[in-house]
Amino acid sequence: MPAAKPFLLGVLGGMGPLATVDFQYKLLAATPADSDQQQLPSVVWNVPQIADRQQALAGSGPSPLPQMLHGIGKLNQAGATHIVIPCNTAHHWFDDLSRASAAPLLHIVDATLDHLAGLPQQPQRVGLIATQGTLDAGWYQNALAAKGIEALLPAHEELQQWFVPGCYAVKRGALQEGGELLALQARALLARGAERLLLACTEVPVALHAIDAPFLTLADDPAQLLAQRCAEIWLESRHSYFSHTQSNNLNK
Amino acid sequence: MPAAKPFLLGVLGGMGPLATVDFQYKLLAATPADSDQQQLPSVVWNVPQIADRQQALAGSGPSPLPQMLHGIGKLNQAGATHIVIPCNTAHHWFDDLSRASAAPLLHIVDATLDHLAGLPQQPQRVGLIATQGTLDAGWYQNALAAKGIEALLPAHEELQQWFVPGCYAVKRGALQEGGELLALQARALLARGAERLLLACTEVPVALHAIDAPFLTLADDPAQLLAQRCAEIWLESRHSYFSHTQSNNLNK
C-alpha cells in the first residue's frame, strides 16, 4: 500500500489578498505548536488578478471561474491534500471547483454550522453580514433554518450604503474607513434583534478588528472557524506526517 | 517573440511560518493599490517542516537544503517569475538555491543596502540583530563596511541570553515574551552607540512590533525593504501584466 501523501493545505486566495493573509494568521493561531516544524504546512495561491465576484454575480462582469480553476490546478500540482477558499462569495463556484480538484475542498459554511451546533446555548436570531451574492445563494440562511435559527439580513439599501463601500475600502487598504462603515451595518442588525453576528465575508472581520469594534465578542467569523477545521485535520495527521517525512525525503 | 510570463512572486517561506505571513502583509502594505486586482500576485510555499537553520549552521543538526530545494522546485513549477526568502539565515544557501532555480532569486541584503545607500543621512554605526549564522556569514558587516558604516554586533552571551530564546519564543507564538527578550538585545546595541538598528532576522520585527517597542523608529527591517523591492518590480510590470492577461486567458 503506498504511503499517504503528507498533509499540505492549499489556499485558493486572492479574494481578496488581505483576507488571504489574515486567514493564514488564523491558521497559525488555531494550531498549538511549540516550534516552526509543528505548524500547519500550506501552499497559498494569492493571485488577485481575478474577475470581481460581486460584479459577476450581479450580472455586470465576467465570471471568475476560469482564474479560480487555474488556481485550483496549481494547488493540486503543488501537492495540496486539502483545499480551502477564504472567501465566502467565491463558494458560489464551490461545486465546479470541487469537480475539477483531486484534493477535496472544505466548505466554509460546513465549518461554521458545525461550530454553531456545538455552542452550549444556541442563539435564536443571528445577523448575517455578507455580500449580495452570498445572501442570494441562501447557504447560511438555509443551514441556520435547519437548526431552528432565524437569519436577520441586511436591507438592500444598507448593503449599498455601508457594506459594499466598506468592503471595497478594505480592498484598497483603508481599514479604518471600512471598519466604520461595516460597524454601521453590524449595529443595525444588532438593533433589529440579532443576538449574534456571522461575519460571512472575509473582509469584514479584518476591518472590524482594525477598529477594535466592541461587539466582536458577539460575532462568529466563518474564516476563523474554517481555519480551526484545517488545524484539527493537521493535528490529526501531524504525527504520521513526521514519521512519513523521516522515511521519505521531501527532496523528490 | 513569445510574450513574457506574467509577474508572479514566489515566496519560499516556512522559516518561520509567522515571519512568512508577516512578510505577505509587508508586500500588501508596500503596494499602492485601489483594488484587489492591482495587488501583487504571489504563490507562497509556507511549509515549516524543514530542518532548523540555526542548528544546521552550528553543526548540530541536518541541512535544510533538500527541503528548501523542494520548495524552490514547487515555486518554479507554479510559474514564479521572481523568488524571495523572507528569512535572513536561510540566505546561507542562497547560491545553491539560485543555481537550482529558473526564476531569479532576490537577495535580502541587496535590498537592504540599496535602501541604506539612499538615506539622506548615513549612520556611522549600525547595530545588527541577527542569528549567529547570519553574523558568521558576514554579509551585512561586509556590505556595511563597503559603505563606510561600522556594524555593532551582539556579544555571544547576549545572543544566548536574549536573542536565541527570544526567537524561539516567537516561533512558538509567545510574541510578548519574545519581544521583551529581543528588546533587551536592541537596547544593549543602542547603549553601545548604535545610531540605527538592522533587524536582520525576520522574527525580530514581528516581536518588537507586538510589544510596540519605542526604538522601532530607529530600526530598519530587511524583510520590509525586500517587500518594497518586490512591490517596485510588480509596479513596473503591472501595466504589461494587465495587457498580457487580457490577451492570454490565465486558464491554460
Side-chain angles (χ1 to χ4, degrees):
Chain A
M1 206 174 79
K5 266 167 71 175
F7 176 94
L8 178 65
L9 183 68
V11 179
L12 182 66
M15 304 175 281
L18 181 57
T20 303
V21 180
D22 186 61
F23 180 73
Q24 294 174 70
Y25 263 120
K26 289 171 172 151
L27 286 173
L28 291 174
T31 309
D34 294 324
S35 67
D36 283 357
Q37 287 75 13
Q38 294 189 348
Q39 274 291 1
L40 181 151
S42 64
V43 54
V44 182
W45 184 256
N46 195 359
V47 176
Q49 285 71 40
I50 175 168
D52 187 291
R53 282 71 58 202
Q54 297 191 45
Q55 289 178 12
L57 291 177
S60 58
S63 168
L65 183 60
Q67 291 123 327
M68 291 168 79
L69 286 169
H70 180 72
I72 290 285
K74 291 292 188 183
L75 293 173
N76 273 284
Q77 216 176 37
T81 57
H82 303 73
I83 293 179
V84 290
I85 315 171
C87 170
N88 286 272
T89 308
H91 280 70
H92 181 83
W93 294 272
F94 186 88
D95 291 342
D96 288 325
L97 297 172
S98 284
R99 273 192 293 272
S101 181
L105 272 68
L106 309 178
H107 201 296
I108 197 167
V109 177
D110 294 343
T112 304
L113 269 288
D114 289 352
H115 165 79
L116 286 180
L119 286 180
Q121 275 208 313
Q122 281 213 358
Q124 292 193 292
R125 278 178 300 279
V126 165
L128 182 57
I129 304 186
T131 62
Q132 190 70 61
T134 299
L135 296 175
D136 288 348
W139 307 310
Y140 282 102
Q141 300 95 305
N142 297 341
L144 289 166
K147 300 206 179 290
I149 303 171
E150 184 189 350
L152 296 182
L153 309 184
H156 183 73
E157 312 74 55
E158 292 174 348
L159 287 176
Q160 295 308 312
Q161 198 180 344
W162 296 328
F163 175 83
V164 173
C167 280
Y168 284 101
V170 178
K171 287 177 184 298
R172 64 169 195 273
L175 293 187
Q176 186 74 25
E177 180 190 336
E180 284 163 12
L181 285 162
L182 293 163
L184 291 170
Q185 180 66 80
R187 287 188 191 284
L189 290 167
L190 292 168
R192 288 211 289 281
E195 296 152 49
R196 293 194 69 80
L197 297 170
L198 268 187
L199 311 181
C201 169
T202 45
E203 321 292 352
V204 177
V206 178
L208 293 180
H209 280 286
I211 65 161
D212 207 11
F215 52 79
L216 279 169
T217 51
L218 299 174
D220 289 305
D221 172 1
Q224 172 69 39
L225 300 170
L226 183 61
Q228 284 172 15
R229 164 69 55 93
C230 296
E232 286 159 15
I233 299 174
W234 161 239
L235 291 179
E236 278 168 23
S237 68
R238 192 156 77 179
H239 176 71
S240 63
Y241 187 101
F242 281 108
S243 355
H244 176 78
T245 51
Q246 273 168 10
S247 55
N248 299 272
N249 192 306
L250 272 171
N251 182 29
K252 279 176 190 162
Chain B
M1 206 173 81
K5 264 167 71 175
F7 176 94
L8 177 66
L9 183 68
V11 179
L12 182 66
M15 303 175 281
L18 182 58
T20 303
V21 180
D22 186 61
F23 180 73
Q24 294 175 71
Y25 264 120
K26 289 172 171 150
L27 286 173
L28 290 174
T31 310
D34 294 325
S35 67
D36 284 357
Q37 287 74 14
Q38 294 188 349
Q39 275 291 2
L40 182 151
S42 64
V43 54
V44 182
W45 184 255
N46 195 359
V47 177
Q49 286 71 39
I50 175 168
D52 188 290
R53 284 69 58 200
Q54 296 192 45
Q55 290 179 11
L57 291 177
S60 58
S63 168
L65 184 60
Q67 290 124 327
M68 291 168 78
L69 286 169
H70 180 73
I72 290 285
K74 291 291 187 183
L75 293 172
N76 274 283
Q77 216 176 39
T81 56
H82 302 73
I83 292 179
V84 291
I85 314 171
C87 170
N88 286 272
T89 307
H91 280 69
H92 181 83
W93 294 272
F94 185 88
D95 291 342
D96 287 324
L97 297 173
S98 283
R99 273 192 294 273
S101 181
L105 272 68
L106 310 177
H107 201 296
I108 197 167
V109 176
D110 293 344
T112 304
L113 269 288
D114 288 353
H115 165 79
L116 286 179
L119 285 179
Q121 275 208 314
Q122 281 213 358
Q124 293 193 292
R125 278 177 301 279
V126 165
L128 182 58
I129 303 186
T131 62
Q132 190 69 61
T134 299
L135 296 174
D136 288 348
W139 307 310
Y140 282 102
Q141 300 94 307
N142 296 341
L144 288 166
K147 300 205 179 292
I149 303 171
E150 184 189 350
L152 296 182
L153 309 185
H156 183 72
E157 312 73 56
E158 292 174 349
L159 286 177
Q160 296 307 314
Q161 197 180 345
W162 297 327
F163 175 82
V164 173
C167 280
Y168 284 100
V170 178
K171 287 176 184 299
R172 64 170 194 273
L175 293 187
Q176 186 73 27
E177 180 189 336
E180 284 163 11
L181 285 162
L182 292 163
L184 292 170
Q185 179 66 82
R187 289 188 191 283
L189 290 167
L190 291 168
R192 288 211 289 282
E195 297 153 49
R196 293 195 68 80
L197 297 170
L198 268 187
L199 312 181
C201 169
T202 45
E203 320 292 351
V204 177
V206 178
L208 294 180
H209 279 286
I211 64 161
D212 206 11
F215 51 78
L216 278 169
T217 50
L218 300 175
D220 289 304
D221 172 1
Q224 172 70 39
L225 301 170
L226 183 62
Q228 283 171 16
R229 164 68 55 92
C230 296
E232 286 160 15
I233 299 174
W234 161 239
L235 291 178
E236 279 168 23
S237 68
R238 193 157 77 179
H239 177 71
S240 63
Y241 186 101
F242 281 108
S243 353
H244 175 77
T245 51
Q246 273 166 10
S247 56
N248 298 272
N249 192 308
L250 272 171
N251 182 30
K252 280 176 188 163

